[in-house]
Amino acid sequence: MGIERLGEELIATLQVGPVEVSFDLPAVAVSLFVTALLVAVSLWLRRGLPREREGPLSRRAGFLAALLEISRSQLVAGFDEPLAKRILPLTTALFLYILLCNWMGILPIPYIVSPTQNLNVPMGMAIMVYVLAHYYALRTRGVRRHLRSYLEPNPILLPMNIVGDMGRTLSHGFRLFGNILGGAILIALAPALLARAAFLLPLAFPVGIGLDLFFGIFVGTIQALVFALLASAYINLAVSS
Amino acid sequence: MEISGADLITMARYLAAGLCMGIGAIGPAIGQGMAASHALDGMARQPEMENSLLRTMIVGQAITESTGIYSLVIAIILVFVAG
C-alpha cells in the first residue's frame, strides 16, 4: 500500500486511424472479470430452475425469487407496472455490477482497483441511463409531449431544464466516482500516515482494515444502491413527469 | 534554499485543495445531519414506516452529498492532476 501507487496506471494505447484510444488495463480486466462472474452465476442459477412450471421449487429458484422480490421492492417500488417490469433487469444488473466492482477494490492485490474509481466507468453508465431515460420517454409519450415537458412549468425555464438535465447526469456519474476514489485515497493515506509516527505504528494495520471494511463494503454497498435507485428514479421521472 | 515560483504554485495548490475540501464539506455535513435527524424523528413517531424512511433518507443524503463530491473532485484535480 503506498500513496505513490494512486497515480500509477497500466495503460495500453491503440492507434485506430487518427484517434489514439487508451485502455486502463486493471479497470478493464476487473470489470470483465466481474461481468464474467455475474454471467456464470446467472447461468448456474438458471440451470437449477425446475423443468416444469408446477414442479417443486428448487433452492436456486427460491434464491432467485427472493433476489427478484428484494430488488423489486427496493428499486422500482411504486412505479407503473409495465415500466417497472421493463427496467427491473437493468437496475438489478447495474446494482450487482457496481456492488461487485466496489467490493473488488478492497482486495489487497497490487494493481487490483475497483473499475468504478476510473471516471470513464461511472460516467459511461450515467450517460447510458440518460440515453435510456430519453429513449423510454420518447417511446411511451411520443416526440411532441416529451419535448413539451422541457417547456414546463414555464417556457422561460427552458435553459434551466436543459442544464438541469445535463447536471443531473454529471452528478450521477461523479457521485459514484468521487465516493469510491475518495475512499480508496483514504484507505491508502491513513495507514501510511500512521506508520510515520513510531508510537502509532501498531494502529496502522487495524485502522487500514477498518477503513477497508467501511469504505469498501459499507460505502460500496450504499453507493451501488444509490446509483441503481437514482437510475430507476431518473427513468421513471422522464417517462411519467 | 531558494523558494522559486514553482514551489509557490505547489504550495498554493495544496492550500487550495485543503480549503476546498474543508469549506466544501460543511454544507453536505449539515444537510446530511438534518436529513438523518428528521428521518429519526419520523421513525420514532411511526416505527412501521422505518424501511421506506431509511431508503428515502439514504437517497436524499446521497443527493445532498453531491456538492461535497464536487469539491472532492476539485481537490483531487488540484493535488494529483493540475501542475
Side-chain angles (χ1 to χ4, degrees):
Chain A
M1 278 293 181
I3 318 165
E4 323 59 73
R5 229 189 50 231
L6 279 172
E8 188 183 325
E9 284 162 330
L10 293 173
I11 304 271
T13 51
L14 195 69
Q15 197 79 30
V16 186
V19 195
E20 197 183 68
V21 190
S22 63
F23 295 95
D24 181 0
L25 287 181
V28 173
V30 173
S31 95
L32 280 180
F33 172 73
V34 167
T35 314
L37 191 73
L38 281 177
V39 169
V41 170
S42 311
L43 287 177
W44 178 75
L45 281 173
R46 201 179 67 172
R47 273 187 50 207
L49 293 185
R51 282 197 192 287
E52 62 270 19
R53 245 172 181 287
E54 301 299 319
L57 200 63
S58 62
R59 280 172 66 185
R60 289 180 215 175
F63 175 75
L64 260 184
L67 189 71
L68 257 176
E69 189 47 47
I70 289 174
S71 56
R72 185 193 298 278
S73 67
Q74 293 297 320
L75 293 177
V76 293
F79 289 16
D80 292 341
E81 193 46 44
L83 180 70
K85 216 166 193 173
R86 207 182 295 156
I87 66 173
L88 184 62
L90 170 77
T91 47
T92 312
L94 271 179
F95 172 71
L96 290 175
Y97 173 74
I98 297 170
L99 185 72
L100 284 184
C101 280
N102 291 347
W103 284 359
M104 283 289 154
I106 70 164
L107 293 180
I109 308 169
Y111 295 115
I112 297 294
V113 294
S114 20
T116 37
Q117 72 184 56
N118 184 327
L119 181 58
N120 298 308
V121 177
M123 212 37 115
M125 288 189 288
I127 291 173
M128 181 189 78
V129 169
Y130 175 79
V131 171
L132 270 176
H134 280 268
Y135 169 74
Y136 284 137
L138 285 175
R139 262 192 43 178
T140 48
R141 305 166 67 210
V143 180
R144 276 183 63 97
R145 278 188 59 207
H146 179 55
L147 287 182
R148 202 184 294 151
S149 74
Y150 277 94
L151 298 179
E152 282 166 4
N154 196 319
I156 302 169
L157 292 178
L158 174 68
M160 283 280 272
N161 280 333
I162 294 174
V163 171
D165 221 37
M166 305 281 171
R168 215 170 54 183
T169 302
L170 211 63
S171 76
H172 195 195
F174 267 128
R175 184 174 302 118
L176 181 60
F177 161 75
N179 272 291
I180 303 304
L181 182 63
I185 289 175
L186 262 182
I187 288 172
L189 209 57
L193 275 182
L194 286 179
R196 290 208 176 164
F199 66 97
L200 286 177
L201 191 58
L203 271 180
F205 189 66
V207 164
I209 298 283
L211 284 175
D212 248 1
L213 288 180
F214 180 74
F215 282 106
I217 304 287
F218 180 68
V219 173
T221 313
I222 297 276
Q223 289 307 320
L225 178 68
V226 162
F227 193 96
L229 257 174
L230 284 179
S232 61
Y234 288 159
I235 293 178
N236 186 37
L237 203 69
V239 170
S240 57
S241 68
Chain B
M1 195 178 77
E2 200 81 358
I3 295 178
S4 64
D7 293 335
L8 283 178
I9 291 178
T10 311
M11 187 197 80
R13 263 172 44 213
Y14 287 141
L15 194 63
L19 282 175
C20 174
M21 215 43 249
I23 299 174
I26 297 175
I30 294 176
Q32 289 190 333
M34 279 172 72
S37 97
H38 286 126
L40 274 176
D41 275 354
M43 283 178 204
R45 214 171 293 137
Q46 283 173 297
E48 69 276 5
M49 292 282 288
E50 191 181 340
N51 261 332
S52 95
L53 274 176
L54 190 69
R55 197 177 66 224
T56 322
M57 181 194 87
I58 286 174
V59 175
Q61 286 188 328
I63 294 174
T64 313
E65 208 181 29
S66 13
T67 46
I69 295 297
Y70 295 151
S71 59
L72 173 71
V73 170
I74 300 291
I76 287 171
I77 289 173
L78 281 171
V79 172
F80 290 107
V81 183

